[in-house]
Amino acid sequence: MLVEHIEIKGRTLLNVPGYDKPVEFGVLTSFAYPLEGELGEIVVATTRVETMLGDTAIAIHPDDPRYNHLHGKYAIHPFNGRKLPIVCDATLVDPKFGSGTVKITPAHDRNDFEVCRGHDLESINIFTDDREINSSGGLEFAGMPRFKAREAVIEALKKKEHYCSYKVFIEVLKVMRCV
């Protein structure tokens, strides 16, 4: 299978092999992770919400006063109860972008993998070789093709009242697409 690297700006619908309808790219989905100890919640934004199934941490900027009280605390994964450490990272996190936080999914993002190594975090692969969610992604989603899982994760976040918003991503986004 040939992989094409393209750049998109804004909301873009792309045909993806194996899907009946075009898949939406170029949008940020924001959702909240509850914090341990009834400290409230922390909001993250992502263009690949389905990868939250493999999140193992949340990064904040060490100098961001909005999150000083969260240094060394934990968020709780809404689908599996996994404790996600809140780590400080001045390289990856831009406090002026999105919510000023970054969800860390080491098995599916190169930058997140570097954060993982620096903080001794777990790396959880949630995809099969056929791009379906595996059992590590949770039984509720296991066996779903990636982009169908994206829709299912959003619906499940809405049911749990953790879904926050959907916003067009105005920066250039690099996308790999099988053709």
Side-chain angles (χ1 to χ4, degrees), residues 17 20 34 50 53 55 65 88 108 123 148 150 159 166 168:
D20 298 335
E50 69 280 6
L53 299 171
D55 284 358
C88 293
H108 304 294
S123 181
K148 290 193 186 303
R150 179 178 289 181
K159 284 181 187 169
Y166 162 100
V168 173

Side-chain angles (χ1 to χ4, degrees), residues 90-140:
T91 304
L92 183 62
V93 181
D94 179 352
K96 295 176 186 149
F97 180 78
S99 62
T101 63
V102 176
K103 60 185 234 39
I104 303 298
T105 316
H108 304 294
D109 184 279
R110 185 174 313 171
N111 294 322
D112 292 2
F113 181 75
E114 292 303 319
V115 172
C116 169
R117 288 181 29 190
H119 292 279
D120 195 30
L121 301 170
E122 186 178 9
S123 181
I124 301 171
N125 176 14
I126 61 161
F127 292 115
T128 68
D129 291 342
D130 295 325
R131 296 171 308 283
E132 292 180 350
I133 304 298
N134 66 27
S135 61
S136 296
L139 296 179
E140 180 179 353

